[in-house]
Amino acid sequence: MPPLETTIDPITKAKTTAVNGSLIEARGISKHFGDLHVLDNIDFALSPSEVVCVIGPSGSGKSTLLRCLAFLEPYDDGNVYIHGQLLGYEQRGGMRIRASEKAIDRVRAPLGMVFQHFHLWPHRTALQNVTEALRLVQGLSRREADREGMAMLKRVGLFDRAHHYPASLSGGQKQRVAIARALAMKPEVMLFDEPTSALDPELVGEVLAVMKQLASDGMTMAIVTHEMGFAANVADRVVFMDEGRIVESGKPETLFRRPASERLSQFLNTWR
Ligand code: ADP
Ligand code: MG
């Protein structure tokens, strides 16, 4: 085994330990919904501090891929490793069986996730939304959780909205609360599934700005997005999916300027 390199995020204090260079590694994963082959032999890896944008037409499997990486959806074939540990399954007597929920949660603990619809608790303030898991999962006292929660709200520019309920926040503010809530758990990787798709156009920028800041702070991220400008500016790598496969993957300047496949050219034309 190569030596482990440990770095510490200056803001979240999260430890990032690289195992074989990859934080997440999916090898040959497949997923069916009934007869529908939604993911077909996908290889996908994320190295520490890497920002990867996943693009592709609706129904191409982007959300399913992210959900399988977090085992919110079990994959059928192949393997997902987080820090070199198999996620979701264990080998027993030559058979592969589903791991316990406890084991699954332990392996995926480094992942934070943000969805298109924010999933905030409507009857809790912004701060309570952020601190809920800190208190219930991590067992922090109210005081410690509030201190941590305020720091996370500050990081997304919402220090002054801490005591507001979701109903009195804009869509962009709600999504930033959802990002703060994920960051509070000190993730090493953030997975975003179309975080700005449900927002009014004028609110998209404030969420992308927070994500761009996270990227420059060194956060490892996989982002499903239709924001091609953001992908071009922020991504280290862009992955284009179609019909459950990765059709092309590479640096944004290469993919956007010189798409190798007809399918990507066509897809990009629909977004220009
Ligand atoms: P994308 O995020 O790229 O739009 P999805 O991953 O959501 O694509 O979906 C890929 C395909 O899988 C689509 O055909 C979708 O209808 C189907 N699908 C997604 N989730 C389910 C599900 N829970 N049950 C059945 N089919 C699903
Ligand atoms: Mg989707």
Side-chain angles (χ1 to χ4, degrees), residues 31-235:
K31 171 76 188 171
H32 294 79
F33 285 116
D35 290 339
L36 194 64
H37 200 174
V38 185
L39 297 179
D40 183 5
N41 197 20
I42 300 267
D43 291 325
F44 182 90
L46 267 180
S47 304
S49 295
E50 195 177 24
V51 177
V52 173
C53 286
V54 179
I55 63 171
S58 177
S60 57
K62 306 179 299 295
S63 296
T64 305
L65 172 60
L66 278 202
R67 295 176 63 79
C68 285
L69 293 178
F71 213 71
L72 297 176
E73 203 61 83
Y75 49 96
D76 311 329
D77 262 319
N79 297 309
V80 174
Y81 300 95
I82 296 172
H83 281 314
Q85 288 195 287
L86 183 63
L87 174 65
Y89 298 103
E90 57 185 63
Q91 293 294 340
R92 210 180 275 171
M95 292 256 295
R96 175 151 119 156
I97 60 166
R98 195 181 161 119
S100 67
E101 289 311 303
K102 208 172 157 190
I104 293 170
D105 281 342
R106 182 174 45 75
V107 175
R108 72 176 163 206
L111 310 185
M113 193 140 178
V114 172
F115 304 92
Q116 180 175 350
H117 301 288
F118 332 111
H119 304 299
L120 298 182
W121 298 101
H123 302 302
R124 304 214 170 110
T125 64
L127 180 62
Q128 287 164 346
N129 268 280
V130 174
T131 56
E132 173 87 6
L134 287 175
R135 300 189 62 203
L136 294 185
V137 181
Q138 299 202 335
L140 265 56
S141 69
R142 178 185 292 266
R143 201 160 198 245
E144 291 166 324
D146 283 356
R147 192 186 319 119
E148 190 61 31
M150 291 306 291
M152 292 304 132
L153 285 172
K154 191 170 176 196
R155 195 171 181 190
V156 301
L158 290 175
F159 193 79
D160 60 339
R161 292 290 185 275
H163 304 296
H164 286 234
Y165 286 88
S168 70
L169 299 173
S170 72
Q173 290 171 336
K174 282 187 255 201
Q175 191 59 298
R176 286 189 282 147
V177 173
I179 294 172
R181 176 180 57 186
L183 290 175
M185 299 302 282
K186 309 258 184 292
E188 295 171 46
V189 186
M190 289 280 281
L191 306 177
F192 292 87
D193 190 1
E194 299 202 31
T196 61
S197 294
L199 302 179
D200 291 336
E202 72 272 20
L203 303 177
V204 167
E206 65 191 63
V207 173
L208 294 181
V210 166
M211 292 166 61
K212 190 170 180 181
Q213 184 60 49
L214 276 179
S216 42
D217 294 341
M219 180 60 81
T220 310
M221 308 203 275
I223 306 160
V224 173
T225 187
H226 293 294
E227 295 293 331
M228 298 303 158
F230 176 83
N233 281 324
V234 179

